[in-house]
Amino acid sequence: MSGEIKSQTISPETLAAEYVHPANCSFRTAENGFLSAVINGKEYKRVILTRALPLNFPDDYICVTDAEKNELGIIEHISEFPEEQRKAVNSELSQRYYCPVVDEIISVKDKMGNFYFDVKIGDFKKSFTVKDISRSIRQVGNSVYLTDIDGNRFKIEDYEKIPPKSRRKIEPYLY
């Protein structure tokens, strides 16, 4: 029958991920500023890194793809790589996952379901809006992540260490 859609069988082999580690992979920052890699002897002039579990395990399970988004492998633990390669990998990840650290919460105002945050990040004041508070504020251990309406992420590294006034302003939104 023409036009009939056939289902494909997914086998464990299709889902098997190849882990990359220092024995079969090396990273470096190329002259053009992009991260490049040699994996199993094949050179990739540009690789893209994506965290599989960005909040819970930011330094583990990093997907490595080429410029065409073909998966090349998974870094199980960044810590396994030599220091210079770790720096290159972490530099690439920090560009992709930029997440300013909130040092103090100046105010939180609720207006018609939107929450307006005024915070201090280092010596700078920043304002941003959070729409769906139940989905946009996540606590992972002692860290708190806030995602604004534009998808930007902000982090309180250690909820216990921010000033008590700041804790009282965010506590009602932590579940």
Side-chain angles (χ1 to χ4, degrees):
M1 287 182 211
S2 158
E4 184 178 309
I5 299 173
K6 296 181 181 182
S7 65
Q8 295 179 339
T9 303
I10 298 176
S11 67
E13 293 80 29
T14 345
L15 296 174
E18 178 179 346
Y19 286 99
V20 295
H21 43 80
N24 69 352
C25 176
S26 65
F27 295 98
R28 72 176 186 84
T29 303
E31 288 180 20
N32 61 9
F34 293 122
L35 186 67
S36 65
V38 175
I39 301 172
N40 294 322
K42 184 173 179 185
E43 183 178 1
Y44 297 90
K45 298 207 181 284
R46 181 170 186 198
V47 293
I48 298 164
L49 305 179
T50 309
R51 288 181 167 123
L53 303 165
L55 297 180
N56 294 342
F57 300 103
D59 295 333
D60 300 326
Y61 306 105
I62 311 297
C63 183
V64 182
T65 59
D66 63 14
E68 288 78 38
K69 307 277 192 232
N70 297 309
E71 187 177 302
L72 305 174
I74 295 175
I75 301 169
E76 191 169 10
H77 307 291
I78 293 173
S79 62
E80 295 175 346
F81 285 84
E83 183 179 355
E84 197 62 34
Q85 292 183 48
R86 279 195 317 268
K87 284 181 182 178
V89 166
N90 283 323
S91 174
E92 180 75 15
L93 288 169
S94 70
Q95 290 175 38
R96 177 176 287 277
Y97 294 96
Y98 175 66
C99 187
V101 175
V102 173
D103 298 313
E104 180 182 343
I105 299 170
I106 299 166
S107 68
V108 180
K109 296 177 184 149
D110 177 6
K111 292 183 183 173
M112 299 182 67
N114 289 323
F115 296 84
Y116 297 89
F117 283 79
D118 289 316
V119 300
K120 280 187 84 176
I121 298 171
D123 293 332
F124 300 98
K125 289 185 180 178
K126 172 76 177 159
S127 298
F128 58 89
T129 305
V130 172
K131 189 165 182 84
D132 183 354
I133 206 87
S134 65
R135 290 186 176 168
S136 300
I137 297 180
R138 287 196 49 190
Q139 187 171 4
V140 179
N142 278 350
S143 297
V144 176
Y145 293 88
L146 304 121
T147 306
D148 73 5
I149 59 173
D150 296 320
N152 300 310
R153 239 193 276 164
F154 301 88
K155 178 181 182 180
I156 300 170
E157 284 190 327
D158 190 342
Y159 167 76
E160 298 292 327
K161 292 184 179 176
I162 62 172
K165 276 185 167 182
S166 293
R167 279 198 307 267
R168 285 193 296 276
K169 290 175 181 152
I170 189 103
E171 278 176 346
Y173 310 110
L174 299 176
Y175 315 159

